[in-house]
Amino acid sequence: MTRVSKQAEALEVTREAMVQGILEVLERTYGGTREPDVVQGLEQFFEALDDATLRAIAYQHGLFEPDLEVEREDGDGSPG
């Protein structure tokens, strides 16, 4: 069985899935605010974000497990 990196797993998640996941976390956190206008406004806000920002927010809200392996780019100036 091959291991799929967390980065590859995150790239497979669709924008819609990320938006819905973030909204679910917010609804669990702030459960008493089920006002349709608020949820719809938040959904539109998250849908309008660029991919990188949306993905960062999804990570912050725990939609993805952080990959424990640190990948370094060549030429970053560090020894090794």
Side-chain angles (χ1 to χ4, degrees), residues 37-59:
D37 292 341
V38 172
V39 174
Q40 184 179 17
L42 285 171
E43 185 173 7
Q44 291 172 351
F45 170 78
F46 290 120
E47 287 175 347
L49 295 175
D50 61 273
D51 286 343
T53 303
L54 181 61
R55 196 166 301 282
I57 292 171
Y59 270 106

Side-chain angles (χ1 to χ4, degrees), residues 8 16-18 40-41 73:
E16 182 63 26
M18 283 190 285
Q40 184 179 17
E73 303 227 356

